[in-house]
Amino acid sequence: MGSLMVLNEIKSELCLTAPDLPLGKALWDKKLEEEPGSTPRTKHLYKRCRWAHTAGGVYIREALKTSLERAQLYTDAHKANAGELPVTIRARCLEHYLKNCSMYIQDDEIIVGGHNARPDTLELYPEGGEANVFDYLEDDSITPEELYDDGEKIVEYWKQWSLSSRCERYLDQESLDALNSGVLGEPPVWKHFYTSTCPPYQSVLEDGLEKRIKWCEDNIKDVRAKLTQYPWTGDENVKLFSKIDMWEAMIIVAKAVIGWARRYSRLARIIAENFDLKDSVVGAEQRKKELLEISEICYRVPAKPASGFKDAMQSKWFCFEVGQNIERYCSGYSHLEDDLMWPYYKMSVIDKTGQPMAREEAIELLECERLKICERGVTKGRWMRAIHPGINDLHIVTIGGLDENGNDLCNDLTDAILEASLNIHTNEPSIAFRYSPKINEKTRRLVYECVAQGFGFPSIKHDEKNTKQSIESQGWPPEVASRWALVLCMAPGVTGRRSTQHSRNEGGGGVDGPAMSTLALSDGFDPWFSQKQVGAHTGDASKFTWEDLKRAVETQIKHASQIETLNKEITSYAEGKWLESPFIAVMDDWCVEEGVGSFERHNKPYTNTWTSFYPGINCVPDDLTAIKYWVFDKQKYTMGQLLEALKANWEGFDEMRKDFVNAPKFGNDDDYADDIAKWVFEKSVELWKQHKMVGWKGGISLISQSVSSFATLGTLIGAQPFGRRHGESLHDGGVSPYMGMDKKGPTAVLKSVAKLPHSAMKGNQLNQRLPVGLMRESEKGFDVWTAYMKTWHDLGIDHVQFNVVNTEDMLAAQKEPEDWDHLIVRIAGYSARFTSLTQMCQDSVIGRTEQGF
């Protein structure tokens, strides 16, 4: 039973004054009665928030416009430094930008710093390639006409220097066609310039950049001394030249970042001393005091170590802006926030020994951080924008978990982060929670209340399973593995000071799961979208036996994984050679120690080589099961008849489709279907493990997930044997049953899912929908949910996330979206505003089975 003392403590902290209502109902009523935000400042910032999310690949907010400031400053610096080494050019480009870029501080902000010329602008990255830039320039809804000619000149200049020109030359035309089709999987980084990174914030928070500059200078001094030692040893000494180049680039960018932060320091002081501040929601005197404090903070960090929670939050934000928005665009907001920031929170809120502040002030700061993320405008390829409806980007922070000795890692900051989320109601950043029954009740109760409010987060990962998998499959030591945080939606990555993941080409990307069965039935040809041979030739499926069919699926997985891995290694090679990120490198202890770039993986202490099936591979078992049942076991239909029906998109084959829809399905604890699912997943793990990427001989770890591609890519995948028509939604999640086809309750779903090889995989995404009446409006909800989570945990399942939303509310929101701006749902790896989703995506959430208890 939930403790009454814990319940009352949470009610008190959240200022809930309706003692007779269930906590979830009281929170919901408060949300409807009051504006989001716990203070006048965050209520104000929420109302004027410049949301930067997209729907259908299009930015929702009309005020958002393209800017050429970054593109032009980078182009100017690239021209001015022609002839320098590539890594030096990259450093000089960042330095030039940070010295000359526009800057602003918005009213009442207490975390400052931006990566765009002014609010509501989107910056471009021409060094990635022309396709992505032209996508923006040619869209007159976001690019003013007067920018087009200058933008075209910038693109023309970068044609020979861009990442795409560096990579395409290594691939034959058939492989290029397959990669670019969008049918086989995620297009290459150099096509849409979508990548991700996990900055090692801890090093900068603890050291400050000045200390790291001194470290690089000392390394150069030591190496130069070694080069003068008699006798000469070429095999050792020549390697040192490139280290000197790298350390010099690190020094250039670290000094530039300090200078940029101090420009904000000057700006804050200028505003404080010269501007009329009477409109501030906190009053003129208080705002002036805040701005002068901001000025002091920006002068101090990230140059020096953080001396309290305010310093740490600001320093982290500066590093995020430079590393993931200015030096290059990188998706995500990866860090173990409660563990990383705890020393500074404790110093300020608990011990009052540095930048003392009340707990309520810390929660306000966390709410401000969430709003800053919601305003982050990013420019990624249209394919990626289309599969991320309702959000700006995949912003996911991780909290919770156990340490290497099995002790609860949660602290008062964990609870403060969850309480800030309950106060401000933003869908970004999403939160991932490392769940164990060992975690204290108050934190688990706050996790539950966030879920019950319908946020769709925290998504929940099995803490012990993921730590164990990181030790066994990635080779990380226990003290490193126990501090994992999600890279994006599903994959654990290293945190701390050294050897974090710096590139999507180390871990990320993915292959289209449903295509593995549809291409096996069409000899690798895609007749529905690209009209090209994108898969392997596997023969005439009308003549297949059951074993032939399984062999054809296996061959398609081999082919797709080979092209995907080739693409990742090519891109990684080109990034390291031509498109280095020296700021990310100077943040990483291993890079500074060794004098290597951020993309180096030879001898890297902790690598993170993984990839995904997205949409998940969970559709293939349903396809194979339906075929086995009706064609090979019951022998009611032939393979030829099935192929004819699929070619016709099931039109004119209604009775036959009805049979295939009613064939056994995964998710009902039926071994007929579940054994096939087990074979599909185990075979996939085995095949991907055969690929040995640079730096790790243990093979590639696999994830099955969907982001939102289950809805947006439905138009790319043809009719499927389990009864789906071309264009309809695909399986959501990575191990979720198809919507409406799990008919035997939540325990049967868990038992089916538990049969899959979770311990051998890095992630398996499971979406579940629970009733509002139980979760939000009943005093028994927490106890029922806790029992469900115990079963889930005991079965060793990797992941689960919940939608808690009424069907009636979603239908009402479709009719009158202007009244339902607050409605948030879980899509797959993230949560989104329901009204920003496409109709198909909305319908697929509505269609998910609501589990009863």
Side-chain angles (χ1 to χ4, degrees):
M1 286 287 290
S3 159
L4 186 60
M5 185 176 71
V6 167
L7 189 62
N8 288 335
E9 182 182 348
I10 294 172
K11 283 185 175 179
S12 173
E13 288 175 353
L14 293 173
C15 302
L16 296 174
T17 56
D20 297 333
L21 288 178
L23 178 53
K25 182 73 167 65
L27 281 167
W28 184 262
D29 290 350
K30 183 182 178 187
K31 179 168 79 171
L32 296 180
E33 291 168 6
E34 300 179 12
E35 295 289 342
S38 65
T39 66
R41 182 199 315 278
T42 52
K43 287 180 187 297
H44 165 71
L45 293 179
Y46 181 91
K47 279 194 285 190
R48 82 103 184 90
C49 184
R50 297 180 167 87
W51 309 100
H53 56 285
T54 62
V58 176
Y59 293 92
I60 296 292
R61 185 176 167 81
E62 293 182 0
L64 272 171
K65 298 297 176 190
T66 302
S67 162
L68 292 181
E69 181 169 274
R70 182 195 177 280
Q72 190 62 62
L73 287 172
Y74 260 66
T75 303
D76 294 343
H78 197 273
K79 290 178 181 176
N81 290 281
E84 292 277 6
L85 292 166
V87 68
T88 308
I89 295 175
R90 288 289 291 169
R92 293 297 181 196
C93 285
L94 179 59
E95 177 190 47
H96 182 66
Y97 176 84
L98 295 177
K99 283 183 176 177
N100 295 283
C101 65
S102 306
M103 52 177 41
Y104 56 89
I105 294 175
Q106 299 189 83
D107 291 349
D108 293 308
E109 280 188 331
I110 48 178
I111 301 173
V112 303
H115 59 276
N116 44 5
R118 55 192 180 282
D120 283 326
T121 54
L122 301 162
E123 299 295 337
L124 300 176
Y125 304 82
E127 67 268 41
E130 64 181 290
N132 198 30
V133 178
F134 269 128
D135 182 33
Y136 282 86
L137 292 178
E138 292 175 352
D139 185 345
D140 59 11
S141 69
I142 53 172
T143 300
E145 185 179 350
E146 62 270 21
L147 294 186
Y148 187 86
D149 289 346
D150 287 342
E152 190 176 34
K153 290 175 186 171
I154 290 172
V155 172
E156 187 62 32
Y157 172 78
W158 282 97
K159 271 186 177 176
Q160 62 178 315
W161 310 112
S162 68
L163 189 62
S164 58
S165 69
R166 306 290 189 187
C167 294
E168 289 182 352
R169 57 196 290 265
Y170 296 105
L171 292 157
D172 59 33
Q173 191 58 49
E174 189 171 331
S175 298
L176 277 172
D177 287 345
L179 283 169
N180 291 333
S181 69
V183 175
L184 200 63
E186 180 182 306
V189 166
W190 37 269
K191 184 59 70 176
H192 53 67
F193 209 51
Y194 179 82
T195 185
S196 54
T197 193
C198 309
Y201 297 110
Q202 186 179 340
S203 62
V204 179
L205 298 187
E206 291 178 351
D207 295 352
L209 289 174
E210 287 179 346
K211 182 177 179 181
R212 302 186 75 76
I213 291 169
K214 177 72 165 46
W215 188 4
C216 293
E217 290 172 341
D218 288 346
N219 286 345
I220 292 172
K221 185 178 176 183
D222 291 346
V223 163
R224 284 184 173 148
K226 179 174 172 44
L227 292 173
T228 61
Q229 290 176 3
Y230 179 86
W232 178 259
T233 51
D235 286 344
E236 294 180 14
N237 289 352
V238 171
K239 295 175 185 173
L240 302 179
F241 301 159
S242 65
K243 294 180 186 292
I244 292 174
D245 296 334
M246 185 55 66
W247 285 319
E248 287 180 342
M250 292 179 187
I251 292 169
I252 291 169
V253 297
K255 288 182 176 177
V257 171
I258 292 171
W260 175 70
R262 289 179 175 171
R263 289 180 65 201
Y264 276 103
S265 172
R266 289 193 292 276
L267 179 60
R269 183 168 292 278
I270 289 168
I271 296 172
E273 295 176 346
N274 298 282
F275 281 50
D276 182 354
L277 303 172
K278 66 183 180 184
D279 290 338
S280 170
V281 292
V282 297
E285 283 304 311
Q286 175 62 23
R287 184 56 181 161
K288 180 175 181 178
K289 186 178 171 186
E290 287 175 358
L291 285 163
L292 291 175
E293 185 181 29
I294 289 169
S295 176
E296 291 172 3
I297 291 171
C298 294
Y299 190 85
R300 188 165 50 247
V301 296
K304 299 184 183 302
S307 58
F309 194 53
K310 291 178 182 176
D311 275 4
M313 291 291 281
Q314 182 62 63
S315 187
K316 182 181 72 168
W317 184 259
F318 276 145
C319 291
F320 168 70
E321 283 286 14
V322 177
Q324 292 193 228
N325 297 289
I326 299 173
E327 187 167 57
R328 63 186 309 171
Y329 157 62
C330 291
S331 181
Y333 196 41
S334 175
H335 58 299
L336 187 58
E337 186 168 36
D338 52 347
D339 187 55
L340 172 71
M341 306 301 278
W342 171 243
Y344 309 100
Y345 178 89
K346 183 172 181 291
M347 191 187 301
S348 297
V349 178
I350 310 293
D351 300 335
K352 313 287 186 185
T353 54
Q355 296 180 327
M357 62 196 302
R359 188 172 190 272
E360 294 75 15
E361 292 178 86
I363 289 177
E364 181 188 56
L365 197 55
L366 291 164
E367 291 174 27
C368 288
E369 180 189 37
R370 295 187 66 82
L371 291 167
K372 285 287 277 187
I373 285 291
C374 290
E375 291 190 331
R376 181 193 179 206
V378 301
T379 52
K380 53 195 171 190
R382 188 171 291 264
W383 193 92
M384 297 306 301
R385 299 202 304 275
I387 69 164
H388 294 160
I391 55 169
N392 309 18
D393 206 3
L394 291 176
H395 299 119
I396 292 120
V397 297
T398 304
I399 58 174
L402 307 177
D403 68 15
E404 62 271 31
N405 298 312
N407 300 315
D408 187 356
L409 267 175
C410 298
N411 50 50
D412 190 50
L413 177 56
T414 317
D415 298 342
I417 292 167
L418 292 164
E419 289 176 37
S421 302
L422 286 165
N423 290 332
I424 201 67
H425 307 168
T426 60
N427 60 310
E428 295 186 83
S430 182
I431 296 174
F433 188 74
R434 296 171 41 177
Y435 188 93
S436 168
K438 292 182 178 179
I439 287 171
N440 72 86
E441 182 185 331
K442 182 183 177 185
T443 301
R444 286 186 289 108
R445 180 78 197 218
L446 284 166
V447 168
Y448 165 80
E449 295 300 341
C450 285
V451 170
Q453 289 304 300
F455 294 163
F457 64 76
S459 67
I460 296 173
K461 289 276 280 186
H462 192 300
D463 188 68
E464 295 92 331
K465 176 264 162 190
N466 279 281
T467 298
K468 187 169 183 283
Q469 199 273 343
S470 297
I471 295 170
E472 294 177 351
S473 293
Q474 300 295 153
W476 304 343
E479 66 276 16
V480 172
S482 64
R483 255 59 176 192
W484 58 266
L486 295 190
V487 175
L488 287 173
C489 302
M490 290 291 294
V494 169
T495 64
R497 296 177 58 102
R498 64 174 54 235
S499 199
T500 60
Q501 181 182 326
H502 298 161
S503 168
R504 189 166 179 78
N505 296 302
E506 179 176 343
V511 163
D512 190 331
M516 299 305 99
S517 58
T518 56
L519 291 174
L521 295 172
S522 61
D523 192 29
F525 185 79
D526 165 38
W528 294 96
F529 183 73
S530 67
Q531 304 281 316
K532 290 181 177 175
Q533 183 75 28
V534 300
H537 287 288
T538 45
D540 180 357
S542 68
K543 299 174 183 174
F544 278 177
T545 64
W546 171 239
E547 292 302 322
D548 290 337
L549 177 60
K550 289 172 65 180
R551 199 173 301 113
V553 170
E554 182 178 339
T555 301
Q556 295 300 340
I557 295 172
K558 280 183 181 176
H559 175 263
S561 67
Q562 181 72 23
I563 290 184
E564 165 76 4
T565 307
L566 170 64
N567 161 43
K568 284 157 71 93
E569 294 282 45
I570 287 172
T571 311
S572 192
Y573 167 77
E575 283 179 321
K577 197 171 180 60
W578 303 103
L579 214 65
E580 187 49 73
S581 293
F583 183 67
I584 292 292
V586 78
M587 293 177 71
D588 193 302
D589 281 2
W590 179 67
C591 294
V592 178
E593 283 168 2
E594 298 297 326
V596 296
S598 61
F599 303 116
E600 180 62 57
R601 279 188 274 127
H602 291 285
N603 301 316
K604 186 176 180 181
Y606 321 126
T607 54
N608 199 18
T609 54
W610 59 273
T611 194
S612 310
F613 278 116
Y614 83 95
I617 195 76
N618 44 333
C619 61
V620 175
D622 279 345
D623 278 346
L624 296 186
T625 300
I627 295 172
K628 185 173 189 296
Y629 188 81
W630 286 116
V631 176
F632 298 113
D633 289 352
K634 298 292 183 184
Q635 298 186 9
K636 183 174 180 179
Y637 304 102
T638 67
M639 284 298 292
Q641 287 173 305
L642 173 62
L643 296 178
E644 188 179 349
L646 295 177
K647 185 178 179 181
N649 198 23
W650 293 107
E651 292 294 330
F653 295 85
D654 295 343
E655 288 303 312
M656 182 178 174
R657 178 176 178 271
K658 189 176 177 182
D659 280 342
F660 277 76
V661 167
N662 290 327
K665 292 288 186 292
F666 176 73
N668 295 288
D669 192 24
D670 179 347
D671 283 343
Y672 188 91
D674 295 351
D675 285 350
I676 292 173
K678 190 167 179 285
W679 175 83
V680 170
F681 276 74
E682 288 179 345
K683 179 57 68 177
S684 298
V685 169
E686 174 193 327
L687 296 176
W688 280 98
K689 280 287 181 189
Q690 300 306 309
H691 297 297
K692 316 297 183 190
M693 290 182 67
V694 169
W696 180 238
K697 296 180 179 177
I700 297 175
S701 291
L702 187 59
I703 292 172
S704 187
Q705 60 177 331
S706 68
V707 199
S708 76
S709 56
F710 65 91
T712 50
L713 299 189
T715 53
L716 275 63
I717 302 298
Q720 289 181 265
F722 78 89
R724 175 187 157 276
R725 297 185 181 91
H726 172 234
E728 293 177 345
S729 284
L730 302 158
H731 284 63
D732 65 70
V735 293
S736 308
Y738 194 70
M739 55 182 177
M741 292 190 177
D742 45 335
K743 300 179 184 299
K744 295 189 177 178
T747 305
V749 172
L750 292 181
K751 290 175 75 174
S752 281
V753 172
K755 296 170 188 174
L756 303 177
H758 296 279
S759 61
M761 298 181 71
K762 206 169 179 66
N764 276 317
Q765 196 171 66
L766 174 62
N767 291 327
Q768 289 285 272
R769 187 176 163 202
L770 301 179
V772 170
L774 172 69
M775 295 290 286
R776 191 183 305 152
E777 298 172 351
S778 167
E779 297 285 8
K780 298 179 181 177
F782 178 63
D783 292 334
V784 173
W785 181 79
T786 299
Y788 175 93
M789 291 306 299
K790 182 179 186 308
T791 303
W792 169 87
H793 188 271
D794 289 348
L795 288 170
I797 296 172
D798 172 74
H799 168 271
V800 66
Q801 57 194 11
F802 304 98
N803 264 310
V804 179
V805 56
N806 282 319
T807 297
E808 297 76 18
D809 289 349
M810 290 188 281
L811 293 173
Q814 285 184 322
K815 290 181 180 176
E816 296 175 334
E818 63 279 5
D819 294 337
W820 291 88
D821 196 43
H822 62 280
L823 190 64
I824 296 173
V825 293
R826 192 71 179 176
I827 303 302
Y830 67 90
S831 299
R833 289 166 181 254
F834 182 78
T835 54
S836 295
L837 301 177
T838 61
Q839 172 91 35
M840 181 186 289
C841 206
Q842 291 176 345
D843 289 344
S844 68
V845 177
I846 293 170
R848 292 178 188 174
T849 302
E850 183 177 277
Q851 304 290 1
F853 291 91

